[in-house]
Each structure stands twice: as structure tokens, then as C-alpha cells.
Amino acid sequence: MVIFNFPEIFSDFTIFTKFMIMFIIFVMKKRMIIHLSGAVQGVGFRPFVYNLATRYRLNGYVINDTQGVVIEIEGSEEDINEFLIALHREKPPLAHIFSQELEEAPPAGYTDFQIKKSQSSGKKEVFILPDISTCDQCLDEMNNPQDRRYRYPFINCTNCGPRFSIIERLPYDRPNTTMKKFKMCPDCQREYEDPSDRRFHAQPNACPVCGPHITLCTSDGEKVAEREEALRLLISLLGEGKIIAIKGIGGFHLVCDATDDKAIDTLRERKRRGEKPFAVMFPSIDRIKEYAEVSPFEEAVILSPEKPIVVVKKKEKTDLSEGVAPHLDRIGVFLPYSPLHHLILNDYGKPLVMTSANLSDEPIVKDNQEAFEKLFVFTDYILIHNRDIRNRVDDSVVRIIDKKISFIRRSRGYAPLPVKLPFNLKKKVLAVGAHQKNTVAIGFDDRVFLSQHIGDLETVDACSNFEDVIESLLRLYSFEPEVIVSDLHPGYYSTRWAKEFSEKTGIPLVQVQHHYAHGLSLMAENRVKGKKVLITGWDGTGYGSDGNMWGGEFLVCDYEGFERVYHFDYFRLIGGEAAVKEPRRVALSILFSIYGKDLPMEVVHFDEKQVDMLYRVWEKEINSPLSSSAGRLFDAAASLLGIRQVLSYEGQSGMIMENLYDPGVKDSYPYTLKDGVIDWRPIFDALIKDKAEAKVRVSRFINTLSRIITDIASMYDLDVGLTGGVFQNKPFTEKVVKSLKNSGHNVLLHTSVSPNDGGISLGQSVFASSICLRK
């Protein structure tokens, strides 16, 4: 037996006691490795973790990597458990944790807690955060004359400011953004390096000494003023009725006084915008309420950090120009979301039209030189700044339908956050979307990342932007798709691009029917799993499996395929694309089908010679494709009711019909169902013969379409999904939902992506990867 004489080993018993305590603590210590994925970069997450670890006496480190955040902590089991609880309960408001992996490991003997430099290698899965509206703390500083950032148009912190619009590559660190050219001054550098500071590792951190600044120029590029003087002159010019292009977060806006009829008329004339409504930015929610009726939920969305444009009912007898939204009883309103917007709106004090600065059907202008080349025809002056925009991002547009958010355009504030799926994708997929309101997407694991709004692929620049967005997504995530998916339509630019890309790379191409993709999108975002859904897919157009133009469809769907169980009977679109822009052509086709040549001329909006010519075109099927589109039936009704004969913008007839809908009208028109076909002839025959006022006939028409959906749904014991652009019509959709619920059906609506073609890329991703390649 060996007997230790402790005093011989430890001359001082106190030293021995300290040694034993340290040994026991070391033995009792636990080490936990935590992997977090989600929106955890660019939101102040690392300083939050640092302070949390300090609170609970934990040692280790936190680091950004290409998949999210890695945390190693070492301490007592109790302190680690408390840390893990607080990590989720107290996380920064902008952080979204998608997944957490915990791994226990032997103690490593850390002596402090550190924030380590980001890693840039490895699989890239971290979420790129959208651009975030200015937080209250930054606004307080910006409005404080004693603060060094007083009236600084680019103030930001870890809780707000540009993110997606400035990022060039992952991880999200300053050298990987367009802020890399601005070297921080000593004061900004101290904030950036202090874990206790709100601007710790705020990548766009800047101040008037070292950061971006604004410059006011004439439309031909001559400098007029800079910084505060530029703002002062800008306010004066707006008061004179001038139209000014202003560079914001994701691109330029065309701006003018929303109460100035002449300025708005000039803007419409210069931009050739017709009657399409303008969005209006207000200084505050209280000012919005002076001009619009705002529900509590609409107010919450207007005030949300995303700051989307929200479509609300406008009040009568205000000084807002009627030219803002001609013939409509609602307007799109939003609040300032950048410091520059706040300064302009607060200084000017009146609502301002803020519309995307672009040529017709082209992407929003984002670069200074591009603005001088393209916007001089629209503007009197151009306000630029020297912080480059890497990724152009339009404003998001939403409306509240059935007390839920419904996206008209999902972009700034939301993109490129992913949609989480109810299953894992088996292949990495690139989905290229549709032709109108295009978005693209990449999908892997259990998530699909949708791009920002790209728009209609009608011009060379729009198609070039489509390709740029794809390149950006692939580059940011070092993404190599294993399958590409497109629409069936052979004429879509997105389809042609996908085919060429597939042939060039050898990556297989899969195509999916348009309305089935709509249905899959709706099912995926509602996390449907293991059951069929009756999808009502109503929109303007979509290439059908039979080569005709679909758009009034009832599809029984699951993730394996679909069955087309009902659809509107086909009618001809006289003149093809011309009929999409002229409701009178659709109406004439309907009339030919019902009455032949013996037409009720009081509802015909062509002269007799034109009617004879168009009848021959219709009869001989010349450039008159077959369509089953519910959207086109709305157009036909608008024409027959004398509401609209030629459209100024897509969906105009349906939007005006919304104004006229009266929920007090309860009756409807007759229709027939036979062999999977909905016959619209009785509907329009009754509509034409009905002598009631227009609002009553509009209401009866909408009631009829609602009853069709409810009657067909009653044949199936299935959840009912509503998707497609027609379901952006608020009174119609809410009537359908109410009727279906009263009939005992569970109703699925879009709340994460748009019901229009902006949501198609999500459905394509689900189809290509989870079905075709899962078999």
C-alpha cells in the first residue's frame, strides 16, 4: 500500500484544496457542440451568444460557417441547459432557427469565450437574410441632433439595414458585400469589434465620416448637390411637382407628390403606364389612416419589419390624387423602410408616389450609370448614392384575404428566405418558374429557396435579369443542380433557357404542367402529406397537357400526379395574345359560341365589318387557340357589362369588378356540369338578358363562380385548395372560402408564396425532385 503524505506533496493545504476543486470542476464539466441552421447570420446572433455564454459562465466559442452558426460551450450541465433554453427564448428578433444539432464531447479546457472569424469553406446552407427595415433604435439616433449619425441616410445595426441586396457571396461578412470598399473609421471599427455593442459585426456599419453618401443630379448626370444639401433641394423640388428617381435599398423608385394631379399625369405619360395603380409611401401609420380604412391585421402587416406594400380600401374625399389608382376603391400603401425614406417623408410631410423605376416590362434599375442611361426620359432629377446594389429587389406587395397574408409579389423583406417542406427532396433542383411574374428557385433537403420577384420575361433585359438571378443563386450557395424543371409551355423563355442549359450541362430536364405546379406549391407550403387535395386552379393562362390553354381547372392532386376532373368548356381567344389585352375579343368569342352570327349587338364593341371579319377568324380557327381560363371569363363579363373593352394592365377588369361586388346580392346565374365540363353558356346568356344594374349583375356572376366551386367540391371528400391569380380577388376568394367552410370543407390558401405565377417555382421544385426522381 502506498500512503501519500499530503503535506509532503503539497506544502500548502490551500494549494491542494484549490487543485482538488479545479479537478472536480473539470471532471464535472460538460462540453456541447451546437450546430444551428436558419436565418442566423447578419442578425446579431454571435454577440447575442457571446453575452449569453458570459451570463452563464460558459467558455468556448461561436463562429459563422457556410451552413449557419457553430457554438462550442463548456461548463456545468445546469448552466449549459439554461443556456440552451435562453438561446431559443431570447434569440434576436430577426433570427429564425430552422434546425439544431447537439453533440456532446469531452471537455477541451477552454478558458474564455470567443467570437471566431467566419469560415468560408464547406457546404453552403445558411439562410441569406432579406433586407430589413430601419429599427426604432437607429431612428432615434438618426433623429437625435447630439448623435454622430444625426440625419445620416445609411444608419443601420445588426437589427436592421441591407442584407440580400448587398451580399456577393457567403458567409455574410463585410468583405463579401458591396460595403467592402468603405473602410470603417476608428469609431465605427470600435463598435464593430465590441461584442457588447449593437453594431458588433454589423456588416453595413457606417457613419457620415466613412460611409456612403447621397448625390442629387440632373437627369442627364450633372451633379447639383451632395449630402444634406441634396436632401434640402430634393424636398423643394418635390414641392414644385418634379419627378425624381431615388436610389433605395434594392433599386430606384420614381417619386412624386401623391396629391399632385399634374405630377402624376406627367409621370403616367412619361412612363406610358396607362391606368395601372401606383403605390404610395406615407410618413406614418397615422397618416395612412387619414387616407385609407385599415383593419388591425392590415395595420400589423404595414408595421411589420418587412414593410411590404399593403393593398387597403381608400377613403373618399381626401386630397390624394385620383390618378394614383384610377377606377379603384383601394390603394397600395407602405411605410418608409430605409433611413433615406424616413428623412424624405418626414421632411416633406405628405404622401409620395413610389413606383419601381423601369422601362415597361423591364427589371427595376439598380445601378447609377444605368439610371442616367434609362431614366432620363422619366425624371427631372436623379438622387443616387455610392453603395452598390448587388441584387436588385422590388418592393413586396400583399393584401389581406380571409384574415391571412396573400402575396401579390413576394420580394423585398421576404426573399430569399426558404419555404420548409413536409419531406426531404431526393435531388438538388433548379426550378425556372413561368413566364409572367417569374421567380426561380433552388431546392435541397427539406427547403426551397425562392428568388426575389423577377417579373415578366418579355424583353431582352428582363431575360438577362432572369439569367443573372439564377447565376447569383447558384453562386451564393455553390449550388450544382442535379435536375432542372420548367413549365410545359414551349414558347416560354424560361422553358427554352432550361432546355439549352440541360443540353449544355447534361443535367436532366423535367417539365411539369402549369396548374399542377400551382397545386403542388399550395400543398407544399401547407405541409400536406399523405393525402389527395382537390385543387381549384384558376388563372389567366397555362399550357395544358392537351396543348390547349388551361385556366379554369379542378385537379385531384397528390405528390404522385393529378387527375383533371372538371374544367370550363373551351372557348377561342380570337387573335391569341390580342384577346388577353382586349376583353371585347373574349366576349365576342363567347357570343359567337352562344348565338352564332345573330348577335345582341348592344353588347358588342366592334362595328359590323369588324364582327364579320372576326367571325371568319373564329370560324376558321385562325390564330384563335382554345382556352378554359377563368380569368378570361372575368374579362368577357367585364366587356359584356360595359366595364372594360381594352385593358390598361393585366387583371384590370377583375380589379374593377371587385369595386362593384355587393355581398347583399345572394342569387346567381344557371350553369350545367356534364362529363367533367362546366358549361358557361347559360351563365353568359343569363348575364346578357339580365336588366339589373351593373353591380347586381357583377355580384350574380361572382356568386355563380363561387357556387360552381362549392358544388364540385361537394362531390369529393377532400380538402379544397385555391390557387392561381384569380384568387387574388378578395371578395370572390372570401366568398368561396366562406361557402366551402359552411359546407364542411377544409380550405387551403397561399400564405408563404403568391397564388399567381410567382409561386410556380416552388411547385416545380417539389415535382421535379420529390416525385420523378424519388420513384
Side-chain angles (χ1 to χ4, degrees), residues 126-174:
V126 68
F127 296 0
I128 299 168
L129 209 65
D131 302 298
I132 305 157
S133 60
T134 311
C135 71
D136 290 340
Q137 288 172 292
C138 282
L139 287 177
D140 289 343
E141 293 170 348
M142 186 182 74
N143 293 322
N144 179 4
Q146 307 307 313
D147 194 277
R148 72 188 189 93
R149 292 186 175 89
Y150 177 57
R151 291 184 62 82
Y152 182 52
F154 302 94
I155 190 171
N156 67 88
C157 68
T158 53
N159 297 321
C160 67
R163 299 293 193 273
F164 176 56
S165 62
I166 63 171
I167 192 169
E168 295 177 335
R169 63 187 63 86
L170 288 170
Y172 176 67
D173 288 323
R174 193 181 184 100

Side-chain angles (χ1 to χ4, degrees), residues 753-771:
V753 302
S754 176
N756 65 35
D757 285 4
I760 284 283
S761 59
L762 172 59
Q764 291 176 341
S765 301
V766 170
F767 174 79
S769 192
S770 71
I771 302 307

Side-chain angles (χ1 to χ4, degrees), residues 169-225:
R169 63 187 63 86
L170 288 170
Y172 176 67
D173 288 323
R174 193 181 184 100
N176 295 334
T177 73
T178 60
M179 284 296 295
K180 62 181 180 289
K181 68 181 181 181
F182 298 99
K183 180 177 173 57
M184 283 183 279
C185 67
D187 287 337
C188 285
Q189 191 70 40
R190 277 194 294 272
E191 294 170 332
Y192 186 84
E193 294 174 351
D194 181 359
S196 65
D197 195 281
R198 196 174 89 253
R199 293 187 171 89
F200 175 75
H201 280 214
Q203 306 308 336
N205 189 30
C207 74
V209 173
C210 62
H213 68 272
I214 58 173
T215 302
L216 181 66
C217 303
T218 60
S219 59
D220 58 3
E222 182 181 344
K223 185 166 72 172
V224 177

Side-chain angles (χ1 to χ4, degrees), residues 18-181:
K18 288 181 178 179
F19 173 80
M20 290 303 294
I21 290 172
M22 290 174 62
F23 177 76
I24 291 169
I25 290 173
F26 182 78
V27 171
M28 293 179 64
K29 265 187 179 180
K30 289 184 65 177
R31 176 174 163 225
M32 186 72 72
I33 304 172
I34 307 164
H35 297 269
L36 300 175
S37 72
V40 289
Q41 292 187 16
V43 294
F45 204 86
R46 286 180 297 171
F48 160 71
V49 170
Y50 175 91
N51 291 316
L52 203 61
T54 302
R55 183 203 304 175
Y56 290 108
R57 303 171 298 281
L58 299 171
N59 297 327
Y61 67 86
V62 60
I63 188 171
N64 281 347
D65 68 7
T66 57
Q67 299 179 53
V69 167
V70 178
I71 306 167
E72 286 203 22
I73 47 174
E74 206 168 81
S76 72
E77 182 174 0
E78 181 180 357
D79 287 339
I80 287 176
N81 289 338
E82 290 295 327
F83 173 91
L84 290 172
I85 293 169
L87 186 70
H88 291 273
R89 281 185 177 171
E90 302 175 25
K91 67 181 186 295
L94 298 174
H96 298 276
I97 298 173
F98 247 48
S99 67
Q100 171 183 281
E101 295 179 12
L102 302 178
E103 176 188 349
E104 286 195 40
Y110 296 120
T111 58
D112 60 5
F113 194 89
Q114 299 179 3
I115 298 174
K116 290 190 174 183
K117 186 178 179 180
S118 301
Q119 293 179 349
S120 58
S121 61
K123 183 181 179 183
K124 295 182 179 177
E125 294 182 355
V126 68
F127 296 0
I128 299 168
L129 209 65
D131 302 298
I132 305 157
S133 60
T134 311
C135 71
D136 290 340
Q137 288 172 292
C138 282
L139 287 177
D140 289 343
E141 293 170 348
M142 186 182 74
N143 293 322
N144 179 4
Q146 307 307 313
D147 194 277
R148 72 188 189 93
R149 292 186 175 89
Y150 177 57
R151 291 184 62 82
Y152 182 52
F154 302 94
I155 190 171
N156 67 88
C157 68
T158 53
N159 297 321
C160 67
R163 299 293 193 273
F164 176 56
S165 62
I166 63 171
I167 192 169
E168 295 177 335
R169 63 187 63 86
L170 288 170
Y172 176 67
D173 288 323
R174 193 181 184 100
N176 295 334
T177 73
T178 60
M179 284 296 295
K180 62 181 180 289
K181 68 181 181 181

